[in-house]
């Protein structure tokens, strides 16, 4: 800046005369080095004239430049003053903006606890609320349209319920279904972002399901109304149905078939989604008209067995089981003669009407069991009774000819199994062989209502524990009974007891007979169970431990007898007739008839149970159970880990396994006890005979023989017995 100022001052200063004179002198010296050169010609005059002319020109330019410079300086000063004023104003504006910026910054910074909300936070909240309102508006628009379509779908079927149902009469429902599918597909990107399903999608699915139920309800109400005129749910015989008004019968049949048409149309337009195609979901569904006819029956069932009436008793499950069986039997003629032709007319001729009606009836005791079993877990006796009655009910239903494969559920499961079979990849020959079979031969079987209890591990374990505790209590009562080790008559055990006594030439003790009966009662409890795994629990957890405990009881009594009869006689508990304590006559307990009786009691008890196990091992039920255990890898491993069951070696053949029964190990152990008891009996008899003959032998040596006694009268006794 200073250099420019100096330059301006230099330019504005007037010219120096000395400088001009020096330049003129230098020019003259250069041009005219001598005085003579100065006088030659008129060059000097011309130079002077040129200099004067140049001087005038420069003076003119100087005047013009001075005038211009003055104007420029004046305008520059004015502009500088203006700029200076603007700079001052801008400086003030800048300070004002800095203050405002500082204030706004403080207002926009996040507020701390106890401070007022900032403008930015309020703007953000307003923006969020605006987005929520926009989303809500969109949601409401979707819901409004979906609800409108739902109402229109129900109204459409309501207006045409007298006509046969077809896809045309379900146009509004199909529009609703397409709208739901489209909306759910549009929501999938948002679901992937949030990582969870949108509630709107769940609502639309539920709305679609409720709409279809409302559509079915429209026709169901008509069917129920006409069915009441036919005196349903009272049994309707063929003669009674034939005697009804033709108009009522025609209305009933047309409404019934119309419901079937509705179900067929629903299946055609894919009303059943993937969620409703599972086995558990199929069990809750059925043919619409039969489900409708079940409603009044269900109301009566709940009135009698779910209310406060005396028929609703937890300890009497057989009452509602019998009620359901009676319903199946009473309505079977009506289902066979009237409903079956209607199923054929409605396009479901492959469904057996009687079996389908039985299947929908089974939902009544199913619901009852699921609600009552949790209340019975603390009462093992009632729980066991309920399980037993449920097994009897399942057997009665099967004996009545019920087959799940002939029902609507069975057909749907068959269809699903066929689809899975087509999609499955066959990788092995065994898999190919399995997949080549019809699916209903491998998967479509009725599991029975017992599966409701047996299928839940905690419920089954509670029942098993109750049965085990009952069996243990019975066993303790048997062996602690005063007459437990008394030899009973043949008649006490029934025909089987008399037969075993005849086969082995001996009777059994009371405990052996009662213990055998206890084992058979346990077998009766689990033989009706449908699954091998449940049967094996009774074998492993109840029967085998009790058989081992009874064997240990007999063995311990023989051990105690041997200790008492040894040279180191001491009082040890464990005799068959009771406890042996100090101060008793141990010789009397181990000698004579009383001592021998104790050994014989152990002998006949072990022989009786051994014979019973030999018969059990050949029983068809136990043979099937043992074969199933050998075929199941898990149960086979558990059996091999149990020392009371036979083990199949690695080189065992099928013939070897076929010759083996599950009681072979225990039969051998009981047989060893029998052999041991027999040996002890022989030793005891020999010892008793030898003891009784000692006085005789001693008297023979002291007495003199008469000479006339013949040799034929002499007694020849061997030296040893």
């Amino acid at each position: 800046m200073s250099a420019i100022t100096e330059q301006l001052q230099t330019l504005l200063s007037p010219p120096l005369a000395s400088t001009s004179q020096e330049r003129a002198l230098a020019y003259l010296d250069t041009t005219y080095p001598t005085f003579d050169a100065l006088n030659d010609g008129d060059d000097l005059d011309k130079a002077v004239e040129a200099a004067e002319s140049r001087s005038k020109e420069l003076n003119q330019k100087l005047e013009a430049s001075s005038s211009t410079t003055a104007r420029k300086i004046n305008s520059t000063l004015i502009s500088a003053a203006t700029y200076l004023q603007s700079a001052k104003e801008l400086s003030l504006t800048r300070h004002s903006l800095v203050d405002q910026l500082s204030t706004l910054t403080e207002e926009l910074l996040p507020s701390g606890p106890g401070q007022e909300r900032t403008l930015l936070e309020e703007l953000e909240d307003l923006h969020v609320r605006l987005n929520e309102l926009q989303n809500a508006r969109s949601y409401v628009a979707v819901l409004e349209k979906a609800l409108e379509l739902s109402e229109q779908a129900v109204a459409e079927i309501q207006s045409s319920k007298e006509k046969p149902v077809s896809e045309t009469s379900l146009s509004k429902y199909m529009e609703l279904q397409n709208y739901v599918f489209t909306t759910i597909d549009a929501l999938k990107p948002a679901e992937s972002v949030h990582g969870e399903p949108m509630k709107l999608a769940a609502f639309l699915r539920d709305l679609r399901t409720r709409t279809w139920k409302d559509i079915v309800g429209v026709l169901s109400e008509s069917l129920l109304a006409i069915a009441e005129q036919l005196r349903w749910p009272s049994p309707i015989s063929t003669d009674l149905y034939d005697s009804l008004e033709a108009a009522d019968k025609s209305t009933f049949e047309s409404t019934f078939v119309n419901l079937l048409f509705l179900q067929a149309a629903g299946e055609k337009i894919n009303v059943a989604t993937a969620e409703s195609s599972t086995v558990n979901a199929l069990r809750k569904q059925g043919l619409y008209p039969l489900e409708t006819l079940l409603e009044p029956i269900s109301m009566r069932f709940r009135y009698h067995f779910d209310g406060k009436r005396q028929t609703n008793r937890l300890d009497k499950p057989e009452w509602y089981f019998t009620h359901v069986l009676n319903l199946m039997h009473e309505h079977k003629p009506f289902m066979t003669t009237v409903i079956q032709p209607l199923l054929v007319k409605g396009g479901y001729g492959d469904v057996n009407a009687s079996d389908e009606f039985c299947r929908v009836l089974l939902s009544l005791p199913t619901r009852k069991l699921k609600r009552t079993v949790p209340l019975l877990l603390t009462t093992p006796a009632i729980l066991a009774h309920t399980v037993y009655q449920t097994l009897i009910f399942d057997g009665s239903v099967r004996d009545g000819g019920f087959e799940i494969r002939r029902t609507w559920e069975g057909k749907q499961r068959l269809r699903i199994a066929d689809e899975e079979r087509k999609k499955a990849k066959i990788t092995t020959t065994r898999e190919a062989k399995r997949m080549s079979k019809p699916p209903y031969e491998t998967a479509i079987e009725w599991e029975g209502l017992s599966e409701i209890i047996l299928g839940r591990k905690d419920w089954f374990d509670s029942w098993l524990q109750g049965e085990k505790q009952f069996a243990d209590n019975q066993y303790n009562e048997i062996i602690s009974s005063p007459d437990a080790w008394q030899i009973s008559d043949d008649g006490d055990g029934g025909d089987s007891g008399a037969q075993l006594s005849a086969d082995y030439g001996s009777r059994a003790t009371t405990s052996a007979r009662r213990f055998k009966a206890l084992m058979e009662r346990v077998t009766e409890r689990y033989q009706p169970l449908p699954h091998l795994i449940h049967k094996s629990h009774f074998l492993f957890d109840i029967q085998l431990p009790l058989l081992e405990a009874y064997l240990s009881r007999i063995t311990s009594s023989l051990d105690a007898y041997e200790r008492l009869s040894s040279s180191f006689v001491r009082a040890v508990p464990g005799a068959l007739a009771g406890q042996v304590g100090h101060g008793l006559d141990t010789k009397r307990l181990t000698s004579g008839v009383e001592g021998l009786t104790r050994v014989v009691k152990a002998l006949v008890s072990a022989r009786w149970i051994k014979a019973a196990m030999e018969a059990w091992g050949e029983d068809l039920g136990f043979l099937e159970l043992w074969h199933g255990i050998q075929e199941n890898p898990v149960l086979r491993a558990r059996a091999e880990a149990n020392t009371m069951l036979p083990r199949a070696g690695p080189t065992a053949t099928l013939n070897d396994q076929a010759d083996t029964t599950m009681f072979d190990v225990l039969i051998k152990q009981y047989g060893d006890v029998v052999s041991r008891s027999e040996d002890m009996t022989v030793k005891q008899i020999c010892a008793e005979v030898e003891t009784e003959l000692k006085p005789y032998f001693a008297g023979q040596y002291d007495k003199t023989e008469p000479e006339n006694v013949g040799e034929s009268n002499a007694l020849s006794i061997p030296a040893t017995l």
Side-chain angles (χ1 to χ4, degrees):
M1 187 69 182
S2 59
I4 296 175
T5 303
E6 292 177 356
Q7 185 179 4
L8 289 174
Q9 291 177 354
T10 302
L11 293 174
L12 292 174
S13 62
L16 298 176
S18 59
T19 302
S20 299
Q21 292 176 358
E22 289 177 358
R23 289 180 179 177
L25 182 60
Y27 176 77
L28 292 175
D29 290 340
T30 303
T31 307
Y32 306 102
T34 64
F35 186 78
D36 292 335
L38 183 63
N39 293 324
D40 291 342
D42 54 356
D43 293 336
L44 179 60
D45 295 335
K46 292 179 180 181
V48 172
E49 292 177 358
E52 291 177 352
S53 176
R54 178 64 178 168
S55 176
K56 292 179 180 179
E57 183 181 354
L58 291 175
N59 287 333
Q60 293 176 353
K61 290 182 178 181
L62 177 61
E63 291 176 358
S65 176
S66 298
S67 176
T68 302
T69 301
R71 290 196 304 269
K72 293 291 185 183
I73 291 174
N74 188 28
S75 62
T76 300
L77 291 175
I78 295 173
S79 299
T82 304
Y83 291 150
L84 181 61
Q85 183 65 28
S86 299
K88 291 179 180 180
E89 293 176 356
L90 290 174
S91 178
L92 294 175
T93 304
R94 181 181 67 82
H95 289 294
S96 176
L97 291 175
V98 169
D99 294 338
Q100 293 178 5
L101 180 61
S102 177
T103 303
L104 291 175
T105 303
E106 293 177 357
E107 292 179 353
L108 295 177
L109 288 176
S111 60
Q115 299 181 6
E116 296 183 358
R117 293 172 57 83
T118 63
L119 177 61
L120 180 60
E121 291 176 339
E122 293 180 356
L123 290 175
E124 290 177 348
D125 290 345
L126 291 174
H127 183 68
V128 171
R129 291 182 59 187
L130 179 61
N131 289 334
E132 291 178 351
L133 290 174
Q134 291 176 348
N135 292 335
R137 182 180 179 183
S138 301
Y139 275 37
V140 170
V142 172
L143 295 177
E144 181 182 8
K145 184 174 181 180
L147 292 172
E148 182 180 353
L149 290 174
S150 175
E151 294 176 357
Q152 292 176 357
V154 177
E156 183 180 32
I157 199 68
Q158 182 75 36
S159 61
S160 60
K161 63 180 180 180
E162 303 298 335
K163 302 177 182 179
V165 177
S166 62
E167 295 184 24
T168 305
S169 56
L170 296 174
S171 59
K172 289 297 180 181
Y173 177 81
M174 296 173 64
E175 185 178 351
L176 171 64
Q177 183 170 252
N178 294 333
Y179 182 71
V180 171
F181 287 151
T182 304
T183 305
I184 292 176
D185 291 339
L187 291 175
K188 288 182 179 179
E191 292 179 350
S192 61
V193 173
H194 292 83
E196 59 182 8
M198 304 290 288
K199 294 183 179 180
L200 178 60
F203 175 82
L204 291 176
R205 293 191 184 97
D206 294 340
L207 177 63
R208 179 186 59 190
T209 303
R210 290 198 305 269
T211 303
W212 184 256
K213 289 182 179 179
D214 292 341
I215 292 174
V216 176
V218 171
L219 298 182
S220 297
E221 292 177 359
S222 301
L223 181 62
L224 282 178
I226 188 61
E228 290 178 358
Q229 298 181 13
L230 303 181
R231 288 177 290 183
W232 180 267
S234 299
I236 302 175
S237 63
T238 305
D239 295 337
L240 178 60
Y241 185 78
D242 293 338
S243 63
L244 297 175
E245 295 291 337
D248 293 340
K249 292 191 294 183
S250 177
T251 304
F252 172 78
E253 293 175 359
S254 62
T255 307
F256 191 98
V257 174
N258 211 18
L259 266 173
L260 293 177
F261 287 159
L262 175 64
Q263 186 161 9
E267 294 175 359
K268 190 173 182 180
I269 63 176
N270 297 322
V271 170
T273 60
E275 293 81 2
S276 62
S277 296
T278 61
V279 175
N280 291 332
L282 289 174
R283 289 172 180 169
K284 300 178 182 179
Q285 304 174 26
L287 292 180
Y288 294 160
L290 290 181
E291 288 184 335
T292 301
L293 295 178
L294 179 67
E295 292 182 8
I297 298 177
S298 178
M299 292 180 61
R300 293 188 177 188
F301 185 90
R302 290 195 298 268
Y303 174 75
H304 288 289
F305 303 108
D306 287 343
K308 297 182 180 180
R309 295 181 61 84
Q310 295 181 355
T311 51
N312 182 21
R313 293 179 53 178
L314 293 177
D315 60 336
K316 295 295 182 180
E318 60 270 23
W319 286 358
Y320 60 81
F321 283 143
T322 303
H323 176 70
V324 173
L325 289 174
N326 290 337
L327 290 174
M328 293 179 181
H329 176 72
E330 292 171 352
H331 293 288
K332 187 172 184 178
F334 179 70
M335 293 295 153
T336 304
T337 58
V338 178
I339 302 301
Q340 187 64 50
L342 296 180
L343 294 183
V344 176
K345 186 177 180 181
Y348 290 90
D350 57 342
V351 176
N352 185 279
S354 179
D355 287 344
E356 178 64 16
F357 183 71
C358 291
R359 190 184 72 85
V360 297
L361 277 177
L362 290 175
S363 62
L364 303 179
T366 297
R367 184 175 60 250
K368 179 68 175 178
L369 281 176
K370 290 181 178 179
R371 190 165 48 249
T372 57
V373 170
L375 305 176
L376 305 179
L377 298 180
T378 56
T379 54
I382 301 180
L383 177 62
H385 178 67
T386 301
V387 175
Y388 183 69
Q389 291 297 326
T390 305
L391 293 172
I392 294 178
F393 175 77
D394 291 345
S396 300
V397 173
R398 291 189 178 95
D399 293 341
F402 174 74
E403 293 185 9
I404 193 68
R405 70 187 65 173
R406 298 186 302 188
T407 65
W408 179 85
E409 175 191 340
K411 302 303 179 182
Q412 296 300 315
R413 290 170 61 181
L414 175 62
R415 175 183 57 81
I416 296 173
D418 283 336
E419 293 176 356
E420 293 178 352
R421 183 162 61 108
K422 293 177 181 179
K423 295 178 182 179
K425 295 182 179 179
I426 303 175
T427 56
T428 62
T429 305
R430 181 178 181 182
E431 182 70 9
K433 184 178 180 180
R434 185 186 70 84
M435 298 300 291
S436 63
K437 296 180 179 180
Y440 55 82
E441 292 185 2
T442 57
I444 311 302
E445 294 293 340
W446 184 56
E447 297 176 343
L449 298 189
S450 59
E451 185 63 20
I452 298 174
I453 304 175
L454 306 179
R456 289 193 55 170
K457 187 177 184 303
D458 52 342
W459 292 1
F460 174 76
D461 291 343
S462 297
W463 175 49
L464 179 64
Q465 184 62 31
E467 292 290 338
K468 179 175 175 57
Q469 183 177 0
F470 175 78
D472 291 341
N473 293 338
Q474 289 291 306
Y475 169 75
N476 293 329
E477 181 181 346
I478 289 172
I479 62 174
S480 60
S481 176
D483 61 343
W485 305 105
Q486 293 182 3
I487 299 178
S488 61
D489 296 333
D490 292 343
D492 296 342
D495 295 339
S496 60
Q499 182 63 38
L500 284 173
S501 298
D503 292 342
Y504 289 93
S506 63
R507 300 193 300 269
T509 60
T510 302
S511 66
R513 291 182 181 274
R514 295 180 62 187
F515 181 74
K516 172 179 174 290
L518 174 62
M519 291 293 98
E520 291 176 346
R521 283 199 301 270
V522 174
T523 303
E524 291 176 357
R525 300 295 281 183
Y526 73 80
Q527 280 292 355
L529 296 180
H531 298 298
L532 175 67
I533 185 67
H534 299 141
K535 294 181 180 179
S536 65
H537 280 293
F538 280 81
L539 175 67
F540 290 130
D541 299 338
I542 298 179
Q543 286 187 314
L544 294 181
L546 289 180
L547 287 169
E548 186 180 26
Y550 192 71
L551 176 64
S552 300
R553 178 70 176 178
I554 298 175
T555 303
S556 62
S557 67
L558 295 179
D559 294 339
Y561 181 87
E562 287 183 338
R563 286 194 295 270
L564 288 174
S565 61
S566 64
S567 58
F568 303 97
V569 177
R570 33 194 192 97
V572 179
L576 286 171
Q579 299 288 333
V580 180
H582 295 285
L584 297 178
D585 186 2
T586 57
K587 182 177 181 181
R588 181 180 61 83
L589 297 176
T590 59
S591 62
V593 176
E594 183 176 354
L596 185 61
T597 301
R598 299 177 184 277
V599 180
V600 172
K601 290 177 181 179
L603 169 63
V604 296
S605 297
R607 178 179 292 174
W608 185 270
I609 301 302
K610 174 177 175 290
M613 287 191 295
E614 290 175 347
W616 295 341
E618 299 298 331
D619 183 75
L620 179 60
F622 282 106
L623 289 175
E624 292 177 349
L625 177 59
W626 181 240
H627 177 72
I629 291 175
Q630 296 299 316
E631 292 292 327
N632 190 300
V634 177
L635 297 180
R636 180 184 177 92
R638 186 178 182 184
E640 291 178 350
N642 195 314
T643 57
M644 291 176 286
L645 292 175
R647 296 184 179 182
T651 59
T653 62
L654 294 177
N655 292 331
D656 296 336
Q657 296 180 8
D659 295 337
T660 304
T661 66
M662 68 170 63
F663 298 107
D664 283 354
V665 174
L666 285 170
I667 290 174
K668 182 179 182 306
Q669 293 177 356
Y670 273 86
D672 294 340
V673 173
V674 171
S675 300
R676 179 185 177 186
S677 301
E678 291 174 345
D679 293 341
M680 292 175 64
T681 301
V682 172
K683 290 180 181 180
Q684 180 67 19
I685 293 175
C686 292
E688 293 289 338
V689 171
E690 184 177 357
T691 301
E692 295 294 332
L693 289 179
K694 280 183 180 180
Y696 175 78
F697 290 149
Q700 286 291 91
Y701 288 112
D702 294 337
K703 183 179 178 181
T704 304
E705 293 288 344
E707 295 181 356
N708 58 352
V709 176
E711 294 182 357
S712 60
N713 294 330
L715 180 62
S716 176
I717 300 297
T720 60
L721 290 176

